[in-house]
Amino acid sequence: SNSEIINTLVSDVIETSRREGAIGFSEQIYRAMRLLKEFNYTRIYLNPLLANYHRYFDRILRSLFHYLSEIFDLYGFDQAAYRKEQNLVAVRYGDYVAKMREFYEGEEEGFRRMPFDYLAGMTDDYAMDCASEIMIPKKMEHQFDSFLLGN
């Protein structure tokens, strides 16, 4: 499972780094990680069956990036202001912005890097849910359903 893979990698890098006095993996885990990476690229990331989906994922990520950048420009570090967006994506991003402020103040690229890092932490499913949430507000969705169903 993913959690077993992560646990193995983290445990190995800690143990090997302590033993060797430098950060790194044991030879056995390094070889296994290289094989896993090769497998992921050939069977998953570059799989021809997924090629058609790349443009959709690109569109989703670009939309989310634009949205996160836009609301940061509007609200900055005012956590309460993110709630004005009336969606959990904005609220969660506002929390992230507040928690990570000190870190990004010390970074060379400053706050421009923040939306990239936030997106990098998303799973595919979560990114799709977020895109849906900012594109199709729940309130509007319910109103539309009521209109169609004649309620």
Side-chain angles (χ1 to χ4, degrees):
S1 70
N2 285 340
S3 61
E4 291 171 321
I5 292 169
I6 292 168
N7 184 53
T8 300
L9 293 173
V10 170
S11 297
D12 185 78
V13 78
I14 291 169
E15 178 61 34
T16 303
S17 299
R18 281 185 184 153
R19 187 177 60 245
E20 301 295 327
I23 297 173
F25 292 109
S26 66
E27 189 61 37
Q28 178 186 5
I29 294 299
Y30 178 74
R31 280 194 309 270
M33 186 181 67
R34 298 274 304 178
L35 288 171
L36 182 60
K37 183 178 176 183
E38 182 181 319
F39 175 87
N40 284 346
Y41 271 91
T42 58
R43 303 283 175 95
I44 300 170
Y45 306 139
L46 301 176
N47 187 313
L49 295 172
L50 296 178
N52 291 332
Y53 289 97
H54 288 292
R55 65 183 169 159
Y56 294 107
F57 293 131
D58 182 65
R59 192 176 305 142
I60 287 168
L61 293 175
R62 285 179 189 278
S63 296
L64 288 171
F65 175 81
H66 176 74
Y67 178 70
L68 297 174
S69 298
E70 181 181 273
I71 62 175
F72 179 74
D73 289 344
L74 286 172
Y75 307 130
F77 300 101
D78 182 358
Q79 272 187 284
Y82 285 89
R83 287 172 176 31
K84 292 177 187 176
E85 293 291 311
Q86 298 183 342
N87 67 65
L88 287 174
V89 176
V91 172
R92 289 179 182 136
Y93 190 62
D95 289 344
Y96 177 81
V97 165
K99 289 175 186 169
M100 299 302 291
R101 181 178 186 169
E102 191 175 319
F103 171 79
Y104 286 103
E105 284 174 342
E107 288 296 295
E108 185 178 320
E109 293 183 53
F111 300 106
R112 292 181 310 185
R113 183 98 211 127
M114 219 168 17
F116 289 109
D117 293 344
Y118 190 75
L119 289 171
M122 292 184 175
T123 64
D124 295 346
D125 287 340
Y126 182 64
M128 288 187 285
D129 289 344
C130 289
S132 178
E133 186 173 356
I134 66 171
M135 300 293 187
I136 308 167
K138 294 291 184 206
K139 189 174 181 182
M140 182 180 171
E141 188 177 272
H142 294 306
Q143 289 175 353
F144 191 68
D145 287 346
S146 295
F147 173 76
L148 287 176
L149 297 173
N151 294 338

